[in-house]
Amino acid sequence: MGKPALSFEIATTVTQVESWRTKTSGRTVGFVPTMGALHEGHMALVDTARKTCDQVIVSIFVNPLQFGPNEDFGKYPRSLEQDFLICQKFGVDAVFHPSIDIIYPQGETETTTVQPPAQLISGLCGAFRPGHFIGVATVVNKLFNIVQPDCAFFGEKDYQQLQVIKHMADDLNMNVKIIGVPTMREEDGLALSSRNVYLSEAQRKLAPTLYAALSEAKSAILSGTSISAAVAIAKSRITSLDDVTLQYLECCNPRTLQPVSDPQAPCRILVAAKYGDVRLIDNLVVNP
Ligand code: PAF
């Protein structure tokens, strides 16, 4: 028996996306950009897109421009067949799956790039992943130009990325509404991420401490502990774990991502830590 036919369109070229867009004329289009290895977190984005727009398109493209030279571009999880089945199950209307040549015909090192403001990208993940957000902003800009969506959906788990993209869309007068979707979690609190598959059994057991540390810090701040004391306790909870390296744990303004010390001010707490070689990030709202 052959494989079941897929019910959505697959576009691999810009022209194919354009002809799909012509067919969707008069209907609103929601766009979910991904790097594949789809999981329930991505499907929450698709669900929100389906509730918000008439048509939903997902892109699957592992973007070399957003990986540093010593990062995991080569071994980033790729599971295209499985991703197609998931898209089918969740009623996606089209999938854009371009090759690197289609996105960077001139080579990714020769392309024009988008430079987000230093204030947004010099701290947090940006401090540990130089060039990462230039790569993200550039590819998202290109994908928006190709897909021409009305709305685009991004997970709050990648909170700094969400802010970089929101600012880019505002600053460059892009005609697209950026919608953040809350993080999906495993029962033990671990945020869903394509990189979770890298975790060993022992690392997987320790990984929920990230969320636990954030939650404790949040409750402490809301019940009157100073931000600096709450952050210090959360940090020590993570640094006490074997084979875990804390990169940052900070309370920041949710829009500017600058450090916050006033416990009454709008505030989000963000963390990144390496469990062995596996880099995990998470964040939690403290004061909206
Ligand atoms: O969050 C991701 O999966 C990627 O950074 C994105 C937004 C698809 C850009 O490559």
Side-chain angles (χ1 to χ4, degrees), residues 33-35 61 63 66 136 139-140 154 158 161:
T34 81
M35 298 204 299
F61 177 65
N63 173 34
Q66 69 188 72
V136 169
V139 80
V140 170
F154 296 87
D158 295 290
Q161 164 172 287

Side-chain angles (χ1 to χ4, degrees), residues 2-135:
K3 289 183 192 166
L6 294 169
S7 57
F8 55 85
E9 278 201 36
I10 299 177
T12 55
T13 65
V14 175
T15 317
Q16 286 169 349
V17 178
E18 281 165 359
S19 62
W20 179 76
R21 276 309 264 121
T22 310
K23 286 190 269 173
T24 58
S25 127
R27 280 173 286 169
T28 53
V29 168
F31 178 36
V32 180
T34 81
M35 298 204 299
L38 301 180
H39 50 67
E40 280 176 45
H42 295 110
M43 290 311 112
L45 303 181
V46 168
D47 264 351
T48 313
R50 273 159 42 94
K51 286 181 188 129
T52 317
C53 296
D54 301 328
Q55 294 278 298
V56 177
I57 180 166
V58 169
S59 66
I60 298 177
F61 177 65
V62 185
N63 173 34
L65 200 61
Q66 69 188 72
F67 290 81
N70 300 318
E71 292 187 349
D72 56 346
F73 173 70
K75 72 172 182 102
Y76 193 83
R78 289 163 172 87
S79 51
L80 194 59
E81 295 287 313
Q82 176 71 12
D83 290 350
F84 282 167
L85 294 177
I86 294 177
C87 287
Q88 166 114 320
K89 184 167 162 208
F90 284 83
V92 166
D93 299 290
V95 172
F96 179 38
H97 171 55
S99 63
I100 294 178
D101 288 359
I102 294 287
I103 297 295
Y104 300 115
Q106 63 293 55
E108 76 257 24
T109 52
E110 298 306 314
T111 193
T112 301
T113 53
V114 176
Q115 174 75 56
Q119 156 168 280
L120 284 181
I121 64 166
S122 56
L124 305 170
C125 289
F128 294 88
R129 305 189 69 188
H132 170 68
F133 289 111
I134 295 175

